[in-house]
Amino acid sequence: MTKMNKRNGTIVENMMAIRAHRRGGPEVLTYESVPLPVPKAGEVLVQVHAAGITFAELSWDETWRSKDGQDRTPIIPAHEVSGVVSALGSGVNAFTVGDQVFGRVGFNRDGAAAEYVTVPATDLARRPLSVSHVESASIAMAALTAWEALVEHAQLVKGEHVVVLGGAGGVGSLAVQLAKHLGAHVSATAASDNLQFVSGLGADVVLDYASISASSASIQADIVIDAVGGPATAAAIRMVRPGGRFVTLSQPVDAGLLTNRDISATFFVVGPNSETLAEIARLVDAGAIRASVAQVLPLAQARSAFEEGPSVRIPGKTVLQVLPN
């Protein structure tokens, strides 16, 4: 909750947030009182109800640097938000105070592990009201990434065969659901203890990722969405038919893996898109896609979430709950 302090006769608003004053892992995160952010032109001040975290974000250079490469510590993590519009910067006409919104917070700016966050209006949409703030936060960036991969980069056509590597992950689970909704035949890989979960998302075929090797060449997919990366990429590329599309979320594809391969390969980092977020909210409210939440922790325990989250074996997102739903 915000509090008011008088300093030299001036009223200053503060809030509680998770911050890191130096680059590092979870050990550098602290729960502390910080100044309330003020929305600039084109921005919205959101009172945060829930914030989704990505465990790898503390290792991203974008977390610690501004767009022009300058150090921007102290930083606030968590780049998925669901909350209520509290104030508007100049020029914002898409929202009014009191609107319930969700969205992606840019990686080069302070995130949503706080009681309030400022977000460009173009990064937000009205949230799906059929689910909780926790579920809205868990789905915002993952669904946006899956949509961009399937619709904008792969240009999925109804009836095509889509393979999703990492079907139980945050993005992979949404990619499975969206591909199925868009009329694809969907195959997905997962760990042995998550096969039933991925099947429940609508995948037509679920493969134990431990069995995916050179035999993957027998799979001829129109589109492969690689939400895993690393050693899995080489096997995944062999699954793409000639003329097919390979989309990866982890890193650019080694050119050597594409030698003598008649396929297109795309690596991308998800960008803002309020129109797509609005469509995702509509799909959630229609029951076409659903969120998967692994665990929910209070804001003050964000450090524990980053420390212990990677060991949680339940599929789904870890979410920080700031206010009750």
Side-chain angles (χ1 to χ4, degrees):
M1 180 179 296
T2 58
K3 54 186 180 181
M4 309 293 288
N5 295 322
K6 287 188 176 181
R7 296 177 184 170
N8 300 322
T10 302
I11 296 178
V12 179
E13 293 188 355
N14 288 341
M15 67 175 183
M16 297 305 295
I18 298 296
R19 286 211 298 185
H21 292 263
R22 60 183 175 86
R23 191 162 185 160
E27 74 282 354
V28 303
L29 298 176
T30 60
Y31 180 59
E32 61 189 34
S33 177
V34 305
L36 190 77
V38 177
K40 299 177 182 177
E43 294 183 343
V44 174
L45 178 67
V46 177
Q47 184 179 31
V48 179
H49 283 240
I53 64 174
T54 302
F55 301 126
E57 67 184 83
L58 297 180
S59 67
W60 299 342
D61 197 52
E62 296 92 335
T63 297
W64 305 96
R65 296 190 180 278
S66 61
K67 288 183 178 180
D68 61 2
Q70 299 300 307
D71 176 82
R72 64 177 196 86
T73 52
I75 63 96
I76 298 174
H79 295 277
E80 294 167 275
V81 64
S82 182
V84 177
V85 173
S86 180
L88 304 172
S90 62
V92 176
N93 300 311
F95 303 105
T96 59
V97 172
D99 283 346
Q100 297 192 39
V101 296
F102 79 135
R104 160 199 175 275
V105 183
F107 303 134
N108 292 107
R109 58 187 299 133
D110 281 341
E115 292 178 318
Y116 291 85
V117 62
T118 55
V119 188
T122 52
D123 288 19
L124 296 169
R126 288 173 178 80
R127 77 176 191 90
L129 297 179
S130 62
V131 299
S132 67
H133 280 285
V134 165
E135 291 169 294
S136 294
S138 75
I139 209 169
M141 187 161 62
L144 194 61
T145 304
W147 181 279
E148 187 172 339
L150 289 164
V151 177
E152 298 181 24
H153 295 294
Q155 297 183 357
L156 169 63
V157 176
K158 183 177 181 179
E160 289 189 308
H161 181 198
V162 175
V163 173
V164 178
L165 265 67
V171 175
S173 63
L174 271 300
V176 168
Q177 295 178 73
L178 281 170
K180 194 65 183 175
H181 171 73
L182 294 170
H185 176 82
V186 181
S187 300
T189 68
S192 58
D193 53 351
N194 289 328
L195 299 180
Q196 186 173 356
F197 168 78
V198 177
S199 179
L201 297 175
D204 299 288
V205 177
V206 186
L207 306 168
D208 187 334
Y209 76 87
S211 68
I212 302 298
S213 60
S215 62
S216 62
S218 63
I219 300 173
Q220 291 292 282
D222 300 289
I223 298 167
V224 172
I225 305 297
D226 179 8
V228 176
T233 298
I237 285 176
R238 291 194 292 269
M239 297 179 186
V240 186
R241 66 162 178 80
R245 292 89 79 198
F246 180 79
V247 181
T248 182
L249 315 177
S250 57
Q251 61 188 21
V253 179
D254 184 339
L257 295 176
L258 301 174
T259 302
N260 298 321
R261 300 286 302 176
D262 178 24
I263 65 174
S264 67
T266 302
F267 162 72
F268 75 98
V269 176
V270 64
N273 193 317
S274 59
E275 291 182 0
T276 298
L277 278 171
E279 175 63 11
I280 289 165
R282 188 190 68 79
L283 291 174
V284 172
D285 283 337
I289 59 174
R290 68 177 189 269
S292 299
V293 178
Q295 61 175 345
V296 181
L297 295 172
L299 177 63
Q301 294 181 26
R303 177 171 172 172
S304 296
F306 276 96
E307 288 173 337
E308 302 168 9
S311 64
V312 175
R313 304 305 300 172
I314 303 171
K317 195 80 174 179
T318 293
V319 178
L320 302 174
Q321 186 161 11
V322 182
L323 288 175
N325 284 301

